[in-house]
Amino acid sequence: MSVIKRIALTPGEPSGIGPDLILSLAQQKHEAQLIALADPELLKQRAELLGLSISLIEIELSEPRQLAEAGELFVLPHRLKAHVKAGELNHLNSRYVLDTLQTALDGCLSKQFDAIVTAPVHKGIINDSGEVFTGHTEFFADGAGVKKVVMMLATDSLKVALATTHLPLRDVADAITSDELSEVIAIIHHAMQQHFGLALPRVAVCGLNPHAGEDGHLGREEVDIIQPVINRFIQDGYAVSGAWPADTIFNQDKLQNYDVVLAMYHDQGLPVLKHHGFGKAVNVTLGLPFIRTSVDHGTALDLAGTGRANPSSLYAALKMAIAMANTQ
């Protein structure tokens, strides 16, 4: 009999929609044990505000794994530092947010959790509190001692990975080196094999410049860096192709030939992905020694506590996390 998978749910910014979304998840029964790392009082107050019925079960990780029924939610308690009002940020609760992430990280490294699913945090308010925080991805990578990870957003029919993430556009070209690009492609290839069941993942690599550089007339990055890296992977037997112009590779007739598109920078690939499936896409961090998925949106402070937050992206993130965990 297979062991029940245990998934850590981090609700993110307590005044945002994260608690709402997790309470929505708990209205259904799932094939894994979901454990919210949260303040039970926050969840009770938000459930009352939303008119949701919820039975919270406080738990320790040493207890046997079990499944919750619909309307139940396991909670590993973390206490807020200050009262929360839906939609109103308070920097005093930044340490609470980071503590939930640290527990999730520690639990994955110790194999007590099989995956982490994260609701959105508010980076600005965390940094305003005096904590240095650049994002979930960097937090988990640093905590796990991993130097290089890859951000990928995925829907059922499109996966887009990024060679660079949150950089000013003027810094992107300098960040694309042969070594960095080679490491990114290797991480994507391994993750597609390990977690998505693809023996020979087909990776389409975008160029950086318009028309993929026009043979060097619109930029040398393709000629000097990107194409040589692609050629080396092809010589080694990988199903990697490019460099493709970003304005044509996302045509449906071309996408059907590939499993993942590697974009050179954030706004080269993610506008297409989010137009294709915003609200149903999943943010996956590749290259960590554990599984981490997340939503494709932010804290939506204006929707917190209103009942109008759409939980579809968190549902998709949970579904993908469980599927990936079942490959381990």
Side-chain angles (χ1 to χ4, degrees):
M1 185 175 180
S2 60
V3 176
I4 293 172
K5 300 300 181 183
R6 177 179 275 173
I7 312 296
L9 301 177
T10 59
E13 168 53 46
S15 65
I17 62 172
D20 307 41
L21 302 181
I22 284 177
L23 288 165
S24 177
L25 282 184
Q27 301 305 301
Q28 298 182 14
K29 187 171 183 177
H30 300 277
E31 60 182 78
Q33 183 183 36
L34 313 185
I35 301 181
L37 313 183
D39 191 320
E41 289 304 313
L42 169 66
L43 296 176
K44 289 176 186 177
Q45 292 167 8
R46 194 62 61 86
E48 183 176 353
L49 193 61
L50 295 169
L52 295 176
S53 177
I54 191 70
S55 176
L56 300 178
I57 306 168
E58 296 192 16
I59 192 173
E60 296 289 342
L61 295 182
S62 58
E63 297 178 28
R65 301 182 179 206
Q66 55 185 306
L67 300 179
E69 298 297 326
E72 295 180 341
L73 179 62
F74 292 109
V75 180
L76 188 61
H78 289 66
R79 303 300 173 185
L80 288 160
K81 309 303 180 184
H83 176 72
V84 168
K85 184 176 181 180
E88 295 187 8
L89 295 169
N90 188 336
H91 70 86
L92 295 176
N93 283 318
S94 295
R95 175 41 55 185
Y96 159 84
V97 173
L98 295 178
D99 286 346
T100 66
L101 299 183
Q102 188 66 50
T103 298
L105 170 65
D106 293 342
C108 275
L109 293 177
S110 65
K111 306 300 183 183
Q112 292 175 302
F113 292 123
D114 297 294
I116 304 170
V117 177
T118 60
V121 296
H122 194 287
K123 299 175 190 176
I125 199 66
I126 295 175
N127 283 284
D128 286 347
S129 74
E131 302 280 358
V132 177
F133 183 81
T134 52
H136 280 111
T137 302
E138 295 82 1
F139 181 92
F140 291 133
D142 290 344
V146 175
K147 292 183 178 180
K148 186 70 177 179
V149 293
V150 175
M151 178 180 177
M152 182 179 78
L153 264 73
T155 67
D156 287 341
S157 57
L158 177 62
K159 295 179 176 66
V160 177
L162 302 178
T164 63
T165 52
H166 301 115
L167 288 178
L169 191 55
R170 68 173 62 251
D171 295 339
V172 169
D174 290 340
I176 298 172
T177 67
S178 294
D179 288 345
E180 288 288 322
L181 187 57
S182 296
E183 193 169 3
V184 167
I185 294 174
I187 289 171
I188 294 169
H189 181 85
H190 176 72
M192 292 297 104
Q193 288 183 321
Q194 182 180 16
H195 295 302
F196 295 90
L198 300 172
L200 190 62
R202 301 168 299 171
V203 182
V205 181
C206 293
L208 173 66
N209 298 293
H211 303 174
E214 289 277 16
D215 295 324
H217 295 289
L218 293 177
R220 295 286 306 176
E221 286 79 11
E222 289 79 11
V223 174
D224 296 338
I225 299 170
I226 299 172
Q227 197 63 58
V229 169
I230 292 170
N231 292 342
R232 286 197 294 272
F233 274 93
I234 292 172
Q235 290 169 6
D236 289 340
Y238 291 74
V240 177
S241 69
W244 294 104
D247 64 346
T248 59
I249 190 57
F250 289 103
N251 290 338
Q252 198 58 46
D253 61 333
K254 288 187 170 62
L255 286 177
Q256 65 185 349
N257 298 315
Y258 301 102
D259 301 303
V260 58
V261 176
L262 174 58
M264 289 296 106
Y265 57 95
H266 188 281
D267 281 15
Q268 184 184 56
L270 296 195
V272 179
L273 186 287
K274 291 189 176 184
H275 176 74
H276 173 78
F278 186 73
K280 297 180 181 179
V282 180
N283 184 344
V284 189
T285 306
L286 308 179
L288 291 170
F290 52 84
I291 295 161
R292 180 258 169 165
T293 66
S294 188
V295 295
D296 66 352
H297 56 74
T299 54
L301 297 172
D302 59 320
L303 299 180
T306 67
R308 294 187 287 115
N310 187 341
S312 59
S313 184
L314 191 64
Y315 275 87
L318 175 62
K319 180 181 177 181
M320 183 169 289
I322 294 173
M324 293 172 71
N326 284 332
T327 66
Q328 297 188 134

